[in-house]
Amino acid sequence: MDKTFSQWKKQCLSKVDLSKKGSVDEDIEHVVSLINSCEEYFTTSSCSGRIILVDAAPENSDVQKQNCIWLFVSHQNCTSDDMMSGLAKSSGDAVLKFEPFVLHVQCRRLEDAQLMHSVAINSGFRNSGLTVSKTGKIIMAVRSTHGLEVPLSHEGKLLVGHEYIHFLTQIANRKMEENLRRIHRFYHNLQSAVTTERLQKLQIPGPPSSQELQCSPNRVETEEEKNKISMYRRRRKREQHQTGCYHGDASTSVQEQDYCLDLFT
Amino acid sequence: MDKTFSQWKKQCLSKVDLSKKGSVDEDIEHVVSLINSCEEYFTTSSCSGRIILVDAAPENSDVQKQNCIWLFVSHQNCTSDDMMSGLAKSSGDAVLKFEPFVLHVQCRRLEDAQLMHSVAINSGFRNSGLTVSKTGKIIMAVRSTHGLEVPLSHEGKLLVGHEYIHFLTQIANRKMEENLRRIHRFYHNLQSAVTTERLQKLQIPGPPSSQELQCSPNRVETEEEKNKISMYRRRRKREQHQTGCYHGDASTSVQEQDYCLDLFT
C-alpha cells in the first residue's frame, strides 16, 4: 500500500501539468511545495482562487449546455473596468463568480488525511472532505463555503447599473483577500501540524528516517503554535457539535455564520 | 464498534430535533426515512434547500459580525413580490442566496460511507465528502456545487431594479427545481444501491438478518436500476479522472461544467 502510494506520487508529480496555465498558481506555490515535500501527501489539482466572468448560452437556446465562454478571469483583485470590458463581450447570460481556493491532496493513510482535513477545517475551509476510492486512493479536497455567483446579463443585455458593478467588484476583491488570508492560515496550520507529528514520531524509540524529517527540517514548534493547534481542536469540536442531530433548518447556524464570516472577515 | 454505532444511532434518533423548524423538511422526509431505515446509516442534520434573503451589518459598522437578520426564507419557489417585501425590510447589506440540499449522514463502516458518497456524487452532489473523526465517527456530507449569492442592497439602499429582481427570482426558482430533481435522483440511486448491497449479501451463505432486509423489503432491483448503477460507476470514474493531476486552472473543466449544469439543467 505504501509502495503503491509512493509509486502514485512519483507518477503524478512527474506528469506534465495539463491545466490551461500549465503551472501551479503563484499564491499557492509554497502550499503545494510544503505538501509535496511530505512523504504522506501529494497534490493532484489546485486553484488559488479566482474572479471569473462566464458567458453561457441562454436557457432557451439550442447551444450545447456545457458551452460556456470565459469573458474575464483573474487570480488577483480586479477593477470595475475589467468587469465592464468583460461584460461588453457578453452575447448570452453572463455570470460573475468568485471561486475560492480549491486543492486536492492524495494522502498515504487515512490518519494522514484526517490531519490534513482537520487543518483545512480549522483554517476556515468548512466544505473540505475526503474521498476514499475502492482502489485505496484517499483524496482530501480542500473547499471553502466562500463564494459569489451573480447573474449580470441576459441574452447579452446588461441587467444592472455601473454603480452596482463597482459595488460587486469591491465585494469580489474582499472575498479574494479573505481567501488569501485563509490560504495563509492553512499554510501555517499545516506547517505546525506536520511539525507536531514529526516531534511525536521523534519520541518513538528508533531514529526517524530522513524522509520523516523532510518537512521544514529547521522548524521547531513554538508555544504559540502549540496553543494554536489546541485552539483549533477546540474549534473543530464546537463545529462538529453545531452540525449534530439537527434537521429542518439544520445548517442554519453554521451557514448563517459562514455567510457573515465570508462577507465581512 | 458496531455496538457503538447502534448506540449513537439510537441516541441521535431519540433526541428532540433542535432545529428552528423542529422537524425534517417535507421534500426530504422520504430520503431521511430511507436512510434511517438502514442499519448502516442515520442522518444527523439536513436541509432540503432554500432561497434565503439575509440582512447583514455593513462592513464598516461596529455591529457584531455574526449578526445577520433573515428577511425572507422559503423552501419552495418564490415570487419577486416575496423578494421585494423582504428587501423593503433591509437596513444593512442584503444578500440573496440559494442554499441547496445539505445532508449529514453518520455511517457504520467506511465502506458504507463510500457507497453513500458514490451515490451522492453520481446524483449531482459533487461537493460531497467524508469526515472521519478520531473517535471513529464517520460522517458523509452531501453537498452541491449548486448555489447563488447575490448582494442586493448596501446600508438599506437597494442597488438593483425590479426587472433584475424578477430575473433573479426566476433563476433562484430554476435552481430550486434542479435541486429537487437531484434529490429525486439521490433517493432513487440510494434505493438501487442499497438494494444491490442487500442482494449481494443474500448470495453469501447463511440467511440475512431481519435488519439486513429492513430497507425497502419489497423492492427487487430492476434491469434499469442495474444499468443505472453501472452508468453511475462510469460517470464517477470520468469525474475522478477530470480532477486528476491538474494545477493552475485545475478545476476549470469541472467548475465550468458544473456552472452550466447548475444554471440550465
Side-chain angles (χ1 to χ4, degrees):
Chain A
M1 166 59 181
D2 263 12
K3 192 170 176 218
T4 318
F5 180 81
S6 56
Q7 282 165 345
W8 276 329
K9 178 168 182 171
K10 198 175 169 186
Q11 189 184 21
C12 184
L13 297 186
S14 63
K15 273 187 191 161
V16 177
D17 189 322
L18 296 172
S19 63
K20 275 193 182 184
K21 192 181 164 196
S23 65
V24 174
D25 295 332
E26 206 179 304
D27 287 325
I28 53 169
E29 277 173 353
H30 60 307
V31 179
V32 169
S33 303
L34 173 62
I35 292 168
N36 290 327
S37 74
C38 299
E39 66 171 337
E40 302 90 345
Y41 306 111
F42 66 94
T43 60
T44 62
S45 77
S46 67
C47 177
S48 65
R50 59 190 180 184
I51 296 168
I52 180 164
L53 194 61
V54 290
D55 206 26
E59 195 186 20
N60 52 7
S61 87
D62 297 334
V63 183
Q64 215 260 353
K65 291 181 179 180
Q66 267 68 351
N67 182 19
C68 291
I69 297 153
W70 288 17
L71 299 172
F72 171 74
V73 186
S74 170
H75 290 77
Q76 312 298 331
N77 281 9
C78 63
T79 67
S80 39
D81 289 346
D82 297 329
M83 299 281 186
M84 292 312 295
S85 356
L87 286 164
K89 293 179 261 166
S90 167
S91 60
D93 288 10
V95 177
L96 173 73
K97 294 179 90 176
F98 169 71
E99 293 172 343
F101 175 51
V102 64
L103 177 71
H104 291 90
V105 182
Q106 191 164 330
C107 310
R108 191 181 60 181
R109 298 161 311 170
L110 191 58
E111 46 267 52
D112 302 320
Q114 285 172 283
L115 180 71
M116 181 67 73
H117 190 192
S118 154
V119 166
I121 295 285
N122 297 326
S123 306
F125 298 102
R126 293 243 185 100
N127 279 358
S128 301
L130 311 182
T131 302
V132 182
S133 82
K134 294 200 167 179
T135 63
K137 278 191 184 179
I138 304 168
I139 303 278
M140 217 294 283
V142 179
R143 287 190 218 97
S144 181
T145 52
H146 202 230
L148 191 68
E149 182 166 337
V150 187
L152 290 173
S153 72
H154 180 53
E155 295 174 351
K157 184 186 168 234
L158 187 61
L159 302 169
V160 296
H162 290 204
E163 191 194 344
Y164 180 69
I165 297 292
H166 180 70
F167 177 70
L168 210 54
T169 309
Q170 289 177 315
I171 290 179
N173 288 340
R174 281 211 300 269
K175 284 183 180 276
M176 185 64 94
E177 287 150 17
E178 169 56 18
N179 181 59
L180 288 176
R181 278 190 291 272
R182 290 184 188 188
I183 290 171
H184 185 77
R185 280 206 296 272
F186 178 72
Y187 177 74
H188 286 285
N189 295 343
L190 183 61
Q191 215 168 28
S192 307
V194 159
T195 312
T196 310
E197 288 288 298
R198 296 282 171 276
L199 291 172
Q200 282 168 359
K201 280 185 184 173
L202 284 171
Q203 284 155 17
I204 297 164
S209 74
S210 60
Q211 283 169 311
E212 280 179 329
L213 288 169
Q214 258 182 26
C215 295
S216 50
N218 305 324
R219 289 188 78 267
V220 181
E221 188 187 34
T222 64
E223 266 313 309
E224 190 205 340
E225 286 167 348
K226 283 183 188 152
N227 297 339
K228 241 194 256 167
I229 292 172
S230 59
M231 180 190 77
Y232 295 137
R233 294 211 176 106
R234 285 198 300 279
R235 281 180 46 193
R236 174 76 180 123
K237 278 187 192 139
R238 198 166 65 239
E239 283 157 11
Q240 280 173 334
H241 176 74
Q242 277 179 314
T243 54
C245 293
Y246 285 64
H247 286 83
D249 280 321
S251 41
T252 299
S253 58
V254 177
Q255 284 178 341
E256 197 171 347
Q257 191 182 42
D258 281 344
Y259 157 74
C260 293
L261 286 167
D262 295 348
L263 196 59
F264 299 118
T265 50
Chain B
M1 165 59 178
D2 265 10
K3 191 165 176 228
T4 318
F5 180 80
S6 56
Q7 283 165 346
W8 276 329
K9 180 169 182 172
K10 199 174 167 188
Q11 192 184 19
C12 184
L13 296 185
S14 64
K15 272 187 190 160
V16 177
D17 188 322
L18 296 172
S19 63
K20 275 192 184 184
K21 193 181 165 200
S23 65
V24 173
D25 295 333
E26 208 180 302
D27 287 326
I28 53 169
E29 276 172 354
H30 60 306
V31 179
V32 169
S33 303
L34 172 62
I35 292 169
N36 290 326
S37 74
C38 300
E39 66 171 337
E40 301 90 345
Y41 305 112
F42 66 93
T43 60
T44 62
S45 76
S46 66
C47 178
S48 65
R50 59 190 181 184
I51 295 167
I52 180 166
L53 194 60
V54 289
D55 205 27
E59 192 187 25
N60 51 10
S61 88
D62 296 334
V63 184
Q64 213 261 351
K65 289 180 179 182
Q66 266 68 351
N67 182 19
C68 290
I69 297 153
W70 289 17
L71 299 171
F72 170 75
V73 185
S74 170
H75 289 75
Q76 313 298 329
N77 282 8
C78 63
T79 67
S80 39
D81 289 346
D82 297 329
M83 298 279 187
M84 291 313 295
S85 352
L87 285 164
K89 293 179 262 166
S90 165
S91 60
D93 288 11
V95 177
L96 174 73
K97 294 180 89 176
F98 169 71
E99 292 172 343
F101 175 51
V102 63
L103 177 72
H104 292 89
V105 181
Q106 193 165 329
C107 310
R108 192 181 59 179
R109 298 161 311 172
L110 191 58
E111 45 269 52
D112 302 321
Q114 285 173 283
L115 180 71
M116 180 70 72
H117 191 193
S118 155
V119 166
I121 296 286
N122 297 327
S123 305
F125 298 103
R126 293 245 184 100
N127 279 357
S128 301
L130 310 183
T131 303
V132 182
S133 82
K134 293 201 166 176
T135 64
K137 279 191 186 180
I138 304 168
I139 303 277
M140 216 296 282
V142 180
R143 288 190 218 96
S144 181
T145 52
H146 201 231
L148 191 68
E149 183 168 336
V150 187
L152 289 173
S153 71
H154 181 52
E155 295 173 349
K157 185 190 167 229
L158 187 62
L159 302 169
V160 296
H162 291 204
E163 192 194 343
Y164 180 68
I165 297 292
H166 180 71
F167 177 70
L168 211 54
T169 308
Q170 289 176 315
I171 289 179
N173 288 340
R174 281 212 299 271
K175 284 184 180 276
M176 185 64 93
E177 286 150 19
E178 169 57 17
N179 182 59
L180 288 175
R181 278 192 290 274
R182 290 184 188 189
I183 290 171
H184 184 77
R185 279 205 298 270
F186 178 72
Y187 177 75
H188 286 287
N189 296 344
L190 183 61
Q191 215 169 29
S192 308
V194 160
T195 311
T196 311
E197 288 289 298
R198 297 282 169 279
L199 291 172
Q200 283 169 357
K201 280 185 184 172
L202 284 170
Q203 287 156 16
I204 297 164
S209 74
S210 61
Q211 283 169 311
E212 278 179 332
L213 287 168
Q214 257 182 26
C215 295
S216 48
N218 305 323
R219 289 186 80 268
V220 181
E221 190 187 31
T222 64
E223 266 313 309
E224 190 204 340
E225 286 167 346
K226 284 184 188 150
N227 297 340
K228 241 196 251 165
I229 292 173
S230 58
M231 180 189 79
Y232 294 136
R233 294 212 175 105
R234 286 198 300 277
R235 282 181 46 193
R236 174 78 182 119
K237 277 188 192 134
R238 200 166 64 239
E239 281 156 13
Q240 280 174 331
H241 175 73
Q242 275 179 314
T243 55
C245 290
Y246 284 65
H247 287 82
D249 281 320
S251 40
T252 300
S253 59
V254 178
Q255 284 178 342
E256 197 170 347
Q257 192 182 42
D258 281 343
Y259 158 75
C260 294
L261 286 167
D262 294 346
L263 198 59
F264 299 118
T265 49

